[in-house]
Amino acid sequence: LLIDDSAASNLIHEEMIKEMNIAEEIIQKDNAKEALSYLKGEHCGGNPTVPDLIFLDIEMPETDGFGFLEEFEKLDLKYTNNHKLIIAILSNHLDSENFEKSKQFKATGVVDHIRKPIHKEDIECILEEHFE
């Protein structure tokens, strides 16, 4: 799941993931509200959808990435129980404040803070560390 208000970033990242041939499906959402609605399953009759990996832009209008994470934590645990969810936070710049704030969401699944645009090596590191 790609969550970014930048259509260009979503397109670049989707093309890279397709080129790497590492995902059965790639979903793009351009804001936190749409992403949360998708995860709740509101697109398919209420059946929750939990991806294996989320790339989350931290700097978005209305609800930023941290707002998304706060709302995500409130979802019914049946959405995430027994499911390894990895969230990589994306940012145009890596400032220490965002990096420190992202650490409080480690239990939610946040594993990394990556500078945009994502590079193939960033994805490979996440895959090697968290997926077989």
Side-chain angles (χ1 to χ4, degrees):
L1 176 60
L2 301 171
I3 308 170
D4 197 323
D5 62 308
S6 167
S9 288
N10 272 337
L11 181 62
I12 291 167
H13 297 151
E14 179 179 17
E15 289 303 314
M16 183 183 311
I17 292 167
K18 282 181 181 176
E19 183 180 299
M20 294 175 73
N21 195 28
I22 57 169
E24 292 176 21
E25 182 178 21
I26 304 166
I27 303 295
Q28 294 181 31
K29 298 297 176 189
D30 62 6
N31 63 60
K33 184 177 179 181
E34 286 182 15
L36 289 164
S37 175
Y38 174 78
L39 292 169
K40 291 175 186 176
E42 293 174 0
H43 65 289
C44 60
N47 294 322
T49 303
V50 183
D52 295 315
L53 178 59
I54 296 175
F55 288 105
L56 172 65
D57 183 17
I58 209 64
E59 299 166 1
M60 296 185 290
E62 295 182 39
T63 304
D64 66 11
F66 292 120
F68 167 86
L69 291 169
E70 289 167 1
E71 291 302 312
F72 180 79
E73 286 182 329
K74 295 176 187 175
L75 293 178
D76 190 327
L77 290 179
K78 70 181 177 186
Y79 297 158
T80 56
N81 279 354
N82 301 316
H83 188 88
K84 184 177 183 180
L85 172 66
I86 304 299
I87 302 172
I89 293 181
L90 306 178
S91 180
N92 288 323
H93 54 280
L94 297 177
D95 65 35
S96 59
E97 183 180 326
N98 280 349
F99 184 76
E100 288 303 314
K101 190 170 183 179
S102 69
K103 287 181 180 179
Q104 73 184 1
F105 294 100
K106 190 172 183 172
T108 306
V110 173
V111 298
D112 212 343
H113 197 172
I114 302 169
R115 185 177 181 144
K116 290 191 333 185
I118 302 171
H119 296 282
K120 187 176 179 180
E121 294 78 17
D122 298 323
I123 296 173
E124 289 171 345
C125 285
I126 289 172
L127 294 176
E128 287 173 14
E129 189 172 338
H130 300 285
F131 297 94
E132 295 178 6

